[in-house]
Amino acid sequence: MDTDSLMNELDELATGLLILDSRTVDVMTAGKFLNDLEQIIRSAGALNLSPLQDAARELYRMLERVVIDYDDIKDHEAVFSRLEKGIGRMQEIARTFRKTGEIPAAEAGPEADPQAGGEAPQAKAGDGSAAAKAGPYPAEGEAVMQDESLVKDFIVESLEYINEIEVNILNLEQNPEDKDFVNAIFRPFHSIKGVAGFLNLEKIRDLAHSLENALDRVRNDEWPVTTQLIDIILDGADSLKGMIGNLKSRMEGSGEEVNVDVTDLIKRLKLMEEDPSKYSAAPAKVKKIGEILVDEGVVEPEALEKVLEDASRKDPPKRLGEALIEEGKATPKQVSQALRKQATQVSDAASIRVDTRKLDDLVNMVGELVITQSMIRQSPSVQSNTERKLFRDVSQLTTITSELQRISMSLRMIPIKQTFQRMSRLVRDLSKTAGKQVNIELVGEDTEIDRNMVEEIYNPLVHLIRNSVDHGIEPPKDRAAAGKPEAGLIKLKAYHRGGHIVIEISDDGRGLNREKIADKAVKNGMIESKEGMSDQDVYRLIFMPGLSTAEKVTDVSGRGVGMDVVKQAVDKLRGKIEVESIPGRGTIFVTSFPLTMAIIDGMIVRVGQERYIIPTTAIRQLLRPNQESFNSVIGRGEVVSIRGKLLPLVRLYDLFDIDPERRNPWEAIVVVVDGETRSKCLLVDEIIGKEEVVIKGLGDSLKTVKGVSGGAIMGDGSVGLILDPEGLFELSESRSQAAPAM
């Protein structure tokens, strides 16, 4: 410790005093202030600056009394003025010591009587006041409980801090080099430690202090951010949450306390301090071919040296592998295996971390390249040019652009393992709250997903898991009576299918109650009658807002919100959700999302003078129907017979108020597209072709427009709208209902 560092600490302390408002004292801000004072006490002790150390102790005790007796203080501004003078005195002591090397004589401390703003009476041993307690903390085992509101504030704000820590630790895991996330985790631990020390909550203080120290090592580049460290911080946050929950139970006099054992956690932290290299993510040294063969016992070190020496003398020098084979020291298979092992090591050692902002910039630039390549290819001057070399060059540009786009997209992909593991923790917590036994099985954790979608799919998954635990899985007694294992099972499964990532959430619970859902929907006026509805039609009703069949409202669910939020979130990601359920055997929710949110394959269609893009994943068929296939059905509008099935016809020009080129379906083109659970026919004038397009947002003013999910820059520089099939279906249905009866 040097005087420059001490001066910096004092400057930060003076800044911290400005944050403290003399009218309202925030307990967590005061805790941080006390924490900083404690650090100055230690720093002054290391420099043998006893006058400064004594002044800091007096300030510590004074601020303790300010917080405890805040409501009884008459002149707050006078007290804060004394605090300011005390900090000024400490800065003066430090400056004098830095200039002269001499320790100034001790002066009267800044402690004041909070009631009057004057000198405080001398504290007497055993009077119970904060000032009488030796050292910066109250006596061991005595929590400062003079004002219960302080403890309650600490509980509320600490739990908020822990939630903040959990979010930022996951961000840090994805961006290990970002020191902003480290600081965002460090600060809450620092504040919790300070207030816990002030309130004499030693176990909470000590654990927060240990975790804070670990993060300080990361801030100072002494420790790398590794999976083990992330696990320790998460476990530490859970332990703090348990301790604070126990404190809350004691304060309220209700509920059972949770057994929080941090012995193993402290042991893991000590192991990291003793040998941080065990937790380092430093790349391994790439071994040479000879070293690999020696390690595997194929060649003796002496023989290897001789072969190397003989090979180097030859002109040209021979490769080691060839020389070993010629000398009979190794077989071709052994050399080949060693080469493969070396290649694996090289690929492992060659991985580097890249700033995510740079990665996003790269993806954006590749998107612009895709647009430019499309413009060149569709340029009239290029299309009319008959030069074969130009045609080959443009084709080569298209191939390179597609490959570059594929690689850049893959760089943004990360395994879904982290999200699945968060669901594991959620299941454990929810099952305990619900009094049920629930196991979780994870399948396809290595399935990759666009990192920008990770947080977007988190909330839908949470809602689905909550419903599976609360509504799906039965209590142990009911399961035993039904011949099932007492412990229920929730399975999370992820896999890729046709340019999409599919996530299945299944349970082996009671399944959906078809009649109950339909009756509730009728009662709430969501449907007129349940007659003629298929199982899928009924199951889709659970995604309507306000529909809940729960017998009672719980902390988990039952208010009729949640599943509609899931539907909205899935729609936002241009995904789909389907439900399958068997009464008594369980329910499966199948969600499907596009692999990337940046570029899609689209079919460009023309209606009148306008061009639109339909996602190819939604297109089932393109055709020009016979006149006999077209009919008007009373109550169902216009339909087209496709393979013996009548599908409703949606005229895009009517929806978008465009003057079309063709109005008769048998003269135009019909595009059969799939929505969430139904299919319809879109009437267009012409199919222009298939194209990869870069999705562009339409801005806040147009983002709520139904039937349109975004825009794309076309090959000629104009903007084409990307159509949302389900939104088009809803728009056409609302138009038909609003139309006057003929």
Side-chain angles (χ1 to χ4, degrees):
M1 169 59 64
D2 54 28
T3 51
D4 288 338
S5 299
L6 180 61
M7 287 299 300
N8 289 336
E9 290 174 359
L10 289 168
D11 290 341
E12 289 182 10
L13 191 70
T15 303
L17 184 63
L18 298 175
I19 299 174
L20 278 176
D21 192 330
S22 63
R23 294 163 296 177
T24 57
V25 177
D26 181 333
V27 67
M28 297 307 283
T29 306
K32 183 182 182 305
F33 194 87
L34 291 168
N35 223 12
D36 294 340
L37 274 172
E38 180 191 349
Q39 179 60 42
I40 289 170
I41 291 169
R42 286 198 296 266
S43 301
L47 293 169
N48 293 319
L49 275 173
S50 54
L52 193 150
Q53 195 174 30
D54 291 341
R57 283 199 179 104
E58 289 180 1
L59 274 180
Y60 194 107
R61 294 170 186 144
M62 181 180 179
L63 187 57
E64 275 189 333
R65 297 187 64 184
V66 168
V67 177
I68 295 169
D69 303 325
Y70 184 80
D71 292 336
D72 297 327
I73 296 175
K74 297 175 182 176
D75 191 347
H76 295 101
E77 292 187 5
V79 175
F80 275 77
S81 176
R82 299 287 294 178
L83 286 170
E84 189 176 356
K85 289 178 181 177
I87 294 173
R89 170 59 184 155
M90 289 193 295
Q91 290 175 313
E92 183 182 342
I93 293 172
R95 276 194 296 268
T96 302
F97 180 71
R98 183 169 61 176
K99 287 180 180 179
T100 65
E102 297 179 359
I103 299 176
E107 294 184 8
E111 180 148 8
D113 180 359
Q115 296 294 342
E119 294 298 323
Q122 293 295 318
K124 298 178 182 179
D127 68 0
S129 69
K133 296 181 175 70
Y137 293 122
E140 185 73 11
E142 295 180 16
V144 179
M145 301 293 282
Q146 290 94 329
D147 190 347
E148 290 188 0
S149 65
L150 291 180
V151 183
K152 289 178 180 177
D153 287 346
F154 168 72
I155 291 169
V156 172
E157 295 184 18
S158 293
L159 292 175
E160 290 177 356
Y161 273 137
I162 291 172
N163 288 335
E164 181 183 328
I165 289 168
E166 289 176 341
V167 171
N168 282 305
I169 195 69
L170 295 167
N171 290 332
L172 177 63
E173 188 169 21
Q174 295 177 28
N175 306 280
E177 302 298 326
D178 196 329
K179 290 296 175 66
D180 288 340
F181 289 132
V182 178
N183 291 327
I185 302 164
F186 176 88
R187 285 190 293 268
F189 280 131
H190 186 75
S191 298
I192 290 172
K193 182 194 81 170
V195 182
F198 162 61
L199 295 174
N200 204 28
L201 303 169
E202 290 91 351
K203 290 184 178 179
I204 294 176
R205 176 197 68 201
D206 292 344
L207 179 56
H209 181 60
S210 298
L211 296 168
E212 176 194 33
N213 282 346
L215 289 163
D216 196 40
R217 296 281 188 92
V218 176
R219 291 202 308 175
N220 295 328
D221 295 321
E222 296 175 23
W223 286 1
V225 175
T226 61
T227 303
Q228 291 88 344
L229 178 68
I230 296 292
D231 289 341
I232 286 174
I233 301 299
L234 279 172
D235 291 344
D238 286 343
S239 298
L240 283 175
K241 189 183 291 185
M243 291 178 177
I244 294 166
N246 289 342
L247 178 62
K248 183 179 181 182
S249 297
R250 288 197 296 273
M251 288 285 295
E252 297 174 351
S254 61
E256 295 182 2
E257 293 188 14
V258 179
N259 180 30
V260 181
D261 186 1
V262 297
T263 307
D264 180 64
L265 184 62
I266 297 299
K267 183 179 178 181
R268 287 156 63 194
L269 279 166
K270 286 182 178 178
L271 285 173
M272 282 193 73
E273 291 176 359
E274 291 170 3
D275 190 2
S277 64
K278 290 182 179 179
Y279 298 89
S280 174
K285 179 185 176 183
V286 179
K287 291 185 177 181
K288 297 179 180 179
I289 296 294
E291 292 175 338
I292 295 172
L293 291 170
V294 169
D295 290 345
E296 294 181 348
V298 175
V299 181
E300 294 296 327
E302 296 80 9
L304 178 67
E305 289 294 332
K306 187 176 184 306
V307 172
L308 279 170
E309 187 177 343
D310 293 343
S312 63
R313 289 175 181 169
K314 296 187 177 181
D315 188 22
K318 282 200 172 183
R319 293 182 179 179
L320 177 61
E322 294 176 8
L324 287 169
I325 293 171
E326 283 185 2
E327 294 287 335
K329 303 296 183 182
T331 66
K333 182 178 179 181
Q334 289 169 333
V335 173
S336 176
Q337 288 174 341
L339 286 168
R340 282 198 295 269
K341 185 172 287 188
Q342 186 190 50
T344 302
Q345 291 179 0
V346 170
S347 86
D348 289 343
S351 61
I352 60 171
R353 291 191 178 99
V354 179
D355 191 321
T356 53
R357 287 170 294 188
K358 293 180 181 178
L359 192 57
D360 287 340
D361 288 343
L362 172 64
V363 172
N364 290 335
M365 292 308 297
V366 170
E368 295 301 320
L369 178 61
V370 171
I371 294 171
T372 304
Q373 176 266 139
S374 177
M375 288 180 175
I376 293 172
R377 189 162 54 83
Q378 295 183 30
S379 170
S381 59
V382 172
Q383 289 184 340
S384 62
N385 196 305
T386 57
E387 187 179 346
R388 296 185 64 183
K389 185 178 184 306
L390 178 61
F391 178 77
R392 287 197 302 270
D393 290 345
V394 171
S395 297
Q396 181 69 1
L397 174 62
T398 302
T399 302
I400 294 172
T401 303
S402 297
E403 183 64 14
L404 185 58
Q405 174 204 325
R406 185 190 64 78
I407 293 172
S408 64
M409 289 293 107
S410 69
L411 294 176
R412 285 168 43 135
M413 306 297 279
I414 60 173
I416 202 170
K417 182 176 182 179
Q418 179 182 305
T419 303
F420 273 18
Q421 288 176 341
R422 292 171 72 184
M423 295 301 113
S424 297
R425 299 181 67 185
L426 178 66
V427 168
R428 287 196 291 270
D429 293 342
L430 292 175
S431 59
K432 187 174 182 180
T433 302
K436 299 177 181 179
Q437 299 176 30
V438 185
N439 297 324
I440 184 166
E441 180 182 338
L442 306 179
V443 180
E445 293 176 90
D446 294 330
T447 305
E448 292 188 328
I449 185 173
D450 190 323
R451 68 172 187 83
N452 290 341
M453 294 178 64
V454 169
E455 288 302 319
E456 297 290 342
I457 67 170
Y458 176 73
N459 284 335
L461 291 182
V462 167
H463 282 298
L464 292 172
I465 291 289
R466 282 175 174 270
N467 275 277
S468 291
V469 174
D470 200 40
H471 296 306
I473 303 296
E474 311 96 327
K477 290 182 180 179
D478 295 349
R479 292 182 63 84
K484 297 181 179 181
E486 289 190 358
L489 176 66
I490 291 177
K491 182 185 286 187
L492 269 176
K493 183 178 180 182
Y495 54 91
H496 288 156
R497 183 178 68 190
H500 283 68
I501 178 171
V502 181
I503 302 174
E504 296 181 3
I505 304 96
S506 61
D507 65 66
D508 64 347
R510 58 172 61 94
L512 296 177
N513 189 323
R514 184 189 189 284
E515 294 304 314
K516 202 170 186 179
I517 294 171
D519 291 342
K520 190 65 178 286
V522 172
K523 181 180 178 182
N524 290 0
M526 296 175 178
I527 57 175
E528 294 181 1
S529 172
K530 62 182 181 181
E531 298 301 325
M533 294 184 71
S534 66
D535 288 346
Q536 286 297 320
D537 291 336
V538 173
Y539 295 154
R540 281 198 296 271
L541 294 173
I542 66 175
F543 296 110
M544 298 182 71
L547 188 138
S548 175
T549 58
E551 299 289 344
K552 60 180 180 179
V553 174
T554 69
D555 291 337
V556 179
S557 60
R559 292 177 175 82
V561 295
M563 297 307 285
D564 60 317
V565 174
V566 171
K567 181 70 166 55
Q568 291 170 11
V570 171
D571 289 345
K572 180 182 176 184
L573 293 170
R574 304 198 316 276
K576 295 181 180 180
I577 183 166
E578 300 173 358
V579 188
E580 300 175 14
S581 185
I582 301 175
R585 294 181 58 183
T587 304
I588 303 177
F589 290 95
V590 182
T591 60
S592 174
F593 306 95
L595 282 179
T596 175
M597 300 297 292
I599 298 176
I600 63 167
D601 282 335
M603 187 68 71
I604 302 174
V605 300
R606 181 176 61 82
V607 181
Q609 299 301 314
E610 301 295 331
R611 285 176 294 176
Y612 300 96
I613 299 118
I614 304 173
T616 54
T617 54
I619 298 175
R620 187 199 296 179
Q621 189 177 356
L622 303 171
L623 74 156
R624 176 172 286 151
N626 298 325
Q627 187 170 352
E628 295 77 19
S629 301
F630 173 72
N631 290 286
S632 294
V633 179
I634 298 175
R636 295 187 60 181
E638 297 176 313
V639 295
V640 179
S641 178
I642 308 291
R643 295 179 181 177
K645 188 175 182 180
L646 296 179
L647 297 179
L649 179 69
V650 177
R651 296 177 181 264
L652 285 180
Y653 64 81
D654 277 344
L655 296 183
F656 297 128
D657 296 324
I658 299 171
D659 187 20
E661 188 176 298
R662 300 178 180 90
R663 296 179 181 271
N664 294 323
W666 53 90
E667 296 174 352
I669 300 292
V670 166
V671 184
V672 182
V673 295
D674 295 329
E676 293 293 336
T677 55
R678 53 196 166 155
S679 300
K680 292 192 178 186
C681 299
L682 302 183
L683 188 66
V684 302
D685 289 331
E686 182 187 2
I687 303 295
I688 295 177
K690 185 182 174 185
E691 193 77 48
E692 285 185 335
V693 296
V694 180
I695 301 170
K696 300 289 185 181
L698 297 176
D700 293 338
S701 59
L702 296 176
K703 68 180 181 180
T704 57
V705 175
K706 269 192 176 182
V708 177
S709 60
I713 299 175
M714 310 297 289
D716 60 357
S718 63
V719 175
L721 296 178
I722 301 171
L723 300 180
D724 169 30
E726 186 64 25
L728 290 175
F729 296 172
E730 293 175 4
L731 188 60
S732 66
E733 288 163 4
S734 63
R735 292 270 183 103
S736 62
Q737 290 172 2
M742 298 299 292

